[in-house]
Amino acid sequence: TRRILKANPNDELISVTQNDNNNHCTCTKCSAIFKEAESHGAPMIRFVNRLAEELEDEYPNVKIETLAYMFSTDVPKVTRPHKNVIIQLCSLDMCCGHALSDLSCDTNQRFRDQIEGWREVTDNLYIWYYAVEFTGNARNAPFMNFDALYDTYALFMQSNVKGIFNQAYTNQDSYEFGALRAYLLSKMMWNPFMSEEEFNAHIDEFLMLYYGEGWESVRIVLEMTNESSDLNGCWTNNFDRPWNTYNEDYFLENYHEIRAHIEDAYAKA
């Protein structure tokens, strides 16, 4: 860590975190810490705390970021992050069919509890926000989390979240409005306190610039696809199958109307 910071003297953040898997350490010492702290993330927090303490005098402005991810999302009972440690909580199992602030969604209650728990022990809470679906057909099927984006960001701000990393598709050849989502996420990063009216105006703004004269037909397709997803209730953001994120019966019943709007937009492009 010192070698990296010495080579990059202007850096103010460095990531020291667990691997991208669910394989936590099972040695005797770590197992004892798990039991004491009631969290498999406690050994990692103690490790980065030690780093922060050793670097504090030499690099007082440097923050050390570590993930609360997979096995490490539960807040340790006895270990608290150092003031120069950033906890980046990952929304791995969050429901994207509902906003995080929607109290009727039991799936999201666990993540809301995790945000609240980490907020109580650190002022440096970041979010790794998965606005994406990872299965093989993701780009070929609707992933309509647009209704949830605005209210989810609003809850992040109400929870005093200090930073957000968005992970999503931006592929221009996708069928799930990836470019629109990237645009909206960028706008909310720039102004996370925007009104819902401003958010919807950004949707219209993008569609007009991206699709041209036929944008209003695309807007109708977007709204109808959102309606279809709403009928399916809860669905997770990462590994739920694409056919779980939209209602097939709705598409069959409204096929001709949806196709007419797509053909209109295509003709005006």
Side-chain angles (χ1 to χ4, degrees):
T1 302
R2 281 195 174 94
R3 177 178 55 80
I4 294 172
L5 292 174
K6 186 176 181 180
N8 302 274
N10 295 322
D11 286 2
E12 295 186 354
L13 186 146
I14 187 166
S15 180
V16 180
T17 195
Q18 67 195 62
N19 289 325
D20 189 2
N21 58 52
N22 215 18
N23 302 325
H24 60 78
C25 182
T26 58
C27 76
T28 302
K29 291 183 178 180
C30 284
S31 295
I33 297 173
F34 301 156
K35 185 175 181 180
E36 178 189 20
E38 299 182 24
S39 169
H40 289 294
M44 193 68 199
I45 299 298
R46 294 188 184 189
F47 178 73
V48 294
N49 278 353
R50 175 74 179 274
L51 277 179
E53 290 167 2
E54 293 195 8
L55 294 171
E56 185 176 8
D57 291 339
E58 191 175 354
Y59 299 99
N61 295 324
V62 170
K63 294 283 195 299
I64 299 174
E65 175 267 349
T66 196
L67 297 179
Y69 175 56
M70 289 193 172
F71 61 80
S72 63
T73 54
D74 290 337
V75 181
K77 300 296 184 184
V78 295
T79 304
R80 297 294 179 258
H82 186 277
K83 65 179 182 178
N84 286 345
V85 168
I86 292 171
I87 301 298
Q88 185 151 34
L89 177 62
C90 301
S91 63
L92 190 65
D93 298 317
M94 199 178 82
C95 168
C96 277
H98 298 99
L100 187 58
S101 56
D102 187 343
L103 299 181
S104 69
C105 179
D106 293 335
T107 304
N108 279 337
Q109 184 61 54
R110 174 173 166 77
F111 192 60
R112 289 193 297 270
D113 290 344
Q114 289 170 349
I115 290 176
E116 183 63 28
W118 284 109
R119 188 180 70 164
E120 291 177 357
V121 300
T122 180
D123 292 327
N124 300 320
L125 178 60
Y126 284 32
I127 299 292
W128 186 304
Y129 182 36
Y130 294 100
V132 65
E133 195 273 321
F134 285 127
T135 58
N137 293 319
R139 290 188 301 153
N140 300 320
F143 185 69
M144 294 295 105
N145 58 348
F146 294 100
D147 285 348
L149 288 180
Y150 177 80
D151 287 333
T152 294
Y153 254 71
L155 185 136
F156 289 155
M157 295 303 99
Q158 293 165 12
S159 302
N160 201 31
V161 167
K162 296 297 178 61
I164 301 173
F165 175 82
N166 296 301
Q167 183 169 356
Y169 286 120
T170 59
N171 309 66
Q172 293 183 357
D173 60 341
S174 75
Y175 301 104
E176 48 94 56
F177 293 99
L180 170 62
R181 185 180 297 102
Y183 184 79
L184 293 173
L185 290 171
S186 298
K187 288 292 186 180
M188 287 191 292
M189 289 282 283
W190 189 260
N191 179 19
F193 298 102
M194 72 172 66
S195 67
E196 191 166 4
E197 290 74 18
E198 289 175 302
F199 177 80
N200 286 314
H202 285 310
I203 294 178
D204 291 343
E205 175 184 58
F206 177 87
L207 295 179
M208 282 189 284
L209 294 172
Y210 197 85
Y211 292 100
E213 188 179 347
W215 76 270
E216 290 179 297
S217 290
V218 178
R219 182 64 146 120
I220 294 171
V221 172
L222 177 68
E223 291 171 355
M224 294 183 73
T225 310
N226 268 325
E227 289 179 18
S228 164
S229 293
D230 290 343
L231 292 173
N232 273 24
C234 289
W235 36 277
T236 58
N237 51 354
N238 297 89
F239 302 104
D240 217 338
R241 294 296 181 253
W243 48 84
N244 291 336
T245 67
Y246 65 96
N247 188 280
E248 184 176 340
D249 290 338
Y250 179 94
F251 272 98
L252 291 173
E253 292 170 6
N254 295 279
Y255 168 78
H256 293 291
E257 181 180 352
I258 293 172
R259 177 164 180 166
H261 288 301
I262 292 173
E263 290 178 347
D264 179 69
Y266 185 79
K268 293 175 180 176

